[in-house]
Amino acid sequence: MQTIDNFNFKNKKAIVRVDFNVPLDKSTFEVTDDTRIRGALPTINKILKDGGSAILMSHLGRPGGVAQEKYSLKHVIPALKKLTGTSIKFADDCIGESARELSSSLKPGELLLLENLRFYVEEEGKPNLPENITEEDKKAAREAVKKSQKEFTAKLASYADCYVNDAFGTAHRAHASTALIADLFSDENKMFGYLILAELNAMDKVLHSSQKPFTAIMGGAKVSDKIMVIENLLPRIDNLIIGGGMAYTFVKAQGGKIGNSLCEEDKLDLALSILQKAVENNVKVILPVDAVNADKFEANARTSHSKIGETPDGWLGLDIGEESVRLFSDIIKNSKTILWNGPMGVFEMPEFSAGTSAIARAIADATAGGAFSLVGGGDSVAAVNKNKLADEVSYVSTGGGAMLEYIEGKELPGIKAIRM
Ligand code: AMP
């Protein structure tokens, strides 16, 4: 497998799949969080420093195959220019005449940004299907897009001598720019960028860690989203801390009273089977022991405190309580490998954010004590950032969905396309 470190980009044009799917201000279209752009800088800088040029391609939002001003990647140009210190050429159609001309005249040291790939349905390979057409017509439309997707991919590939995938956030998608394009480059001319390498390194470090105890902390709303992750982790971990809304499905399955707390009624048996598998794998499962309850799902709700399994009728648990924080924190601080995905409560509302903040703090403390900690998933990352702890954990993943699928043990199309 080719590596970016070994590759000399001198006089080469590299087409780089980056993840510039950044949040924009609704009225000024300014980039409000440039984390993802900064994530691509090591790769961009290596290409330019070697004396090569880079053609950057990405999606932004979900334009559904239709060109729309609010999803234009031109909005990221000022931030990209500032961060790279280089002027940016822009092709206003990713496979149009401008893209062909600008890429063909691109000189060493120059950067070209292509317009949003998802202005074409070919990027994702899925047609927009009207509801009132026959199954046969749907099938024909899908086949037509698959065919035109090949041409779309070939056009993108024709702009460059080599392909770099550095978009971890979309590595779990088999799209034109994330996976299919790799087939059009020889093994020596395709590679991962530094961001994907760092993500893979962090995840592999956690999955294959010999640094014990290994504690996984799972939270968020739904058990169903995390089942596969939990099942793949059970043979590897020592402790499984379960917080957030998903904890209540486990509490109810064990006969606890949960009031109106979040619960997936159809997952009660599954919760019991996870607990059983944990026993078989010698994994200690730690559920909250107390909770902060609310009389309605609102920031200004009346609040009360109860033991877990004793939520009063009509109330719902929206955060873990102080005793749970102490219990979870002790385990976290004694861990040497930590994986965190999902908040401990409705952390978006200040009244119910204390549990999540305390867990972020405990992970930072464990990291200071020598543990390796990986935090992933939009909400846990937001919680770490909100508490200004991003620099105090070992690695913050840029791809929630991709990270979960990798940890589930799935082969990600964007990874498989390069790592053979
Ligand atoms: P997920 O996407 O599954 O990681 O879920 C994240 C969401 O779970 C966040 O928006 C939280 O507000 C929500 N959440 C966490 N704890 C609870 C809870 N106890 N009740 C309801 N929602 C919760």
Side-chain angles (χ1 to χ4, degrees):
M1 194 178 82
Q2 183 58 273
T3 66
I4 186 165
D5 269 333
N6 286 341
F7 197 86
N8 188 348
F9 289 92
K10 191 168 171 55
N11 294 325
K12 295 256 163 73
K13 287 175 191 162
I15 188 151
V16 189
R17 180 40 157 115
V18 289
D19 182 2
F20 285 174
N21 183 30
V22 289
L24 301 177
D25 183 280
K26 281 195 181 65
S27 47
T28 64
F29 295 112
E30 269 171 61
V31 174
T32 53
D33 180 348
D34 64 3
T35 310
R36 286 183 168 154
I37 303 177
R38 279 188 283 113
L41 290 180
T43 295
I44 295 172
N45 289 339
K46 152 80 176 164
I47 295 168
L48 298 185
K49 195 162 152 255
D50 274 2
S53 55
I55 301 155
L56 307 173
M57 57 175 174
S58 177
H59 76 285
L60 174 63
R62 294 183 176 174
V66 181
Q68 294 172 62
E69 169 80 10
K70 65 177 172 181
Y71 294 121
S72 173
L73 272 167
K74 72 178 182 205
H75 301 308
V76 313
I77 294 175
L80 183 60
K81 188 174 172 197
K82 192 167 152 218
L83 287 167
T84 56
T86 309
S87 65
I88 314 292
K89 294 180 187 252
F90 183 67
D92 59 6
D93 175 347
C94 66
I95 54 161
E97 200 42 35
S98 60
R100 200 189 59 75
E101 275 172 15
L102 287 166
S103 60
S104 121
S105 61
L106 203 63
K107 306 219 168 40
E110 290 184 338
L111 284 178
L112 167 64
L113 175 66
L114 303 183
E115 181 56 287
N116 197 339
L117 296 163
R118 290 194 191 168
F119 283 180
Y120 284 88
V121 288
E122 282 76 7
E123 164 61 358
E124 296 181 78
K126 282 186 300 195
N128 289 321
L129 296 172
E131 271 171 25
N132 53 355
I133 63 169
T134 63
E135 280 310 310
E136 216 164 288
D137 286 345
K138 282 185 191 166
K139 196 171 156 219
R142 285 194 197 99
E143 274 164 17
V145 169
K146 285 286 164 217
K147 209 165 147 220
S148 52
Q149 189 181 37
K150 285 200 177 128
E151 291 154 30
F152 176 83
T153 314
K155 275 193 184 160
L156 293 172
S158 73
Y159 303 151
D161 306 300
C162 54
Y163 167 64
V164 182
N165 187 2
D166 210 17
F168 182 67
T170 46
H172 57 319
R173 305 284 180 224
H175 294 167
S177 67
T178 61
L180 305 189
I181 193 171
D183 285 345
L184 304 178
F185 291 90
S186 63
D187 290 351
E188 315 82 77
N189 289 318
K190 58 185 165 199
M191 68 214 87
F192 296 127
Y194 289 115
L195 178 64
I196 284 201
L197 288 175
E199 297 273 357
L200 292 175
N201 183 37
M203 292 185 301
D204 287 337
K205 210 164 163 173
V206 160
L207 285 176
H208 306 294
S209 178
S210 53
Q211 296 282 88
K212 303 260 171 197
F214 178 176
T215 299
I217 309 152
M218 293 284 145
K222 288 194 184 160
V223 185
S224 43
D225 293 345
K226 316 272 161 93
I227 298 161
M228 304 274 283
V229 178
I230 293 177
E231 292 199 338
N232 198 39
L233 283 172
L234 283 177
R236 307 167 197 269
I237 57 180
D238 302 291
N239 303 306
L240 173 62
I241 292 177
I242 301 176
M246 67 185 271
Y248 287 96
T249 301
F250 288 85
V251 174
K252 179 155 185 191
Q254 292 177 295
K257 272 183 61 190
I258 63 164
N260 288 346
S261 307
L262 207 65
C263 179
E264 285 172 274
E265 295 289 341
D266 59 334
K267 296 289 176 308
L268 296 174
D269 287 342
L270 183 92
L272 290 178
S273 95
I274 289 176
L275 294 175
Q276 179 56 32
K277 280 190 193 151
V279 173
E280 288 158 16
N281 282 280
N282 240 338
V283 175
K284 196 171 161 207
V285 177
I286 307 103
L287 287 163
V289 289
D290 64 342
V292 178
N293 303 316
D295 65 345
K296 52 185 173 189
F297 191 88
E298 274 175 29
N300 64 357
R302 278 199 300 145
T303 60
S304 69
H305 176 266
S306 75
K307 282 194 183 158
I308 210 81
E310 297 180 12
T311 316
D313 288 342
W315 290 66
L316 59 167
L318 294 187
D319 195 10
I320 56 171
E322 282 179 9
E323 240 183 279
S324 309
V325 164
R326 273 194 295 277
L327 174 71
F328 290 3
S329 300
D330 281 348
I331 292 164
I332 291 167
K333 285 179 195 165
N334 285 315
S335 302
K336 286 281 166 264
T337 304
I338 300 163
L339 170 68
W340 182 27
N341 179 280
M344 297 291 103
V346 184
F347 77 109
E348 299 94 332
M349 302 181 189
E351 293 75 7
F352 310 109
S353 65
T356 302
S357 295
I359 293 317
R361 180 76 257 165
I363 296 171
D365 290 346
T367 312
F372 182 82
S373 55
L374 167 59
V375 180
D379 289 310
S380 337
V381 172
V384 161
N385 286 335
K386 200 170 120 194
N387 288 283
K388 301 201 167 28
L389 293 173
D391 293 336
E392 296 184 43
V393 298
S394 309
Y395 195 79
V396 177
S397 177
T398 56
M403 184 188 97
L404 286 182
E405 288 199 17
Y406 193 85
I407 291 177
E408 281 172 14
K410 284 193 188 146
E411 210 166 35
L412 310 186
I415 303 301
K416 189 175 163 218
I418 288 178
R419 186 199 257 174
M420 271 166 280

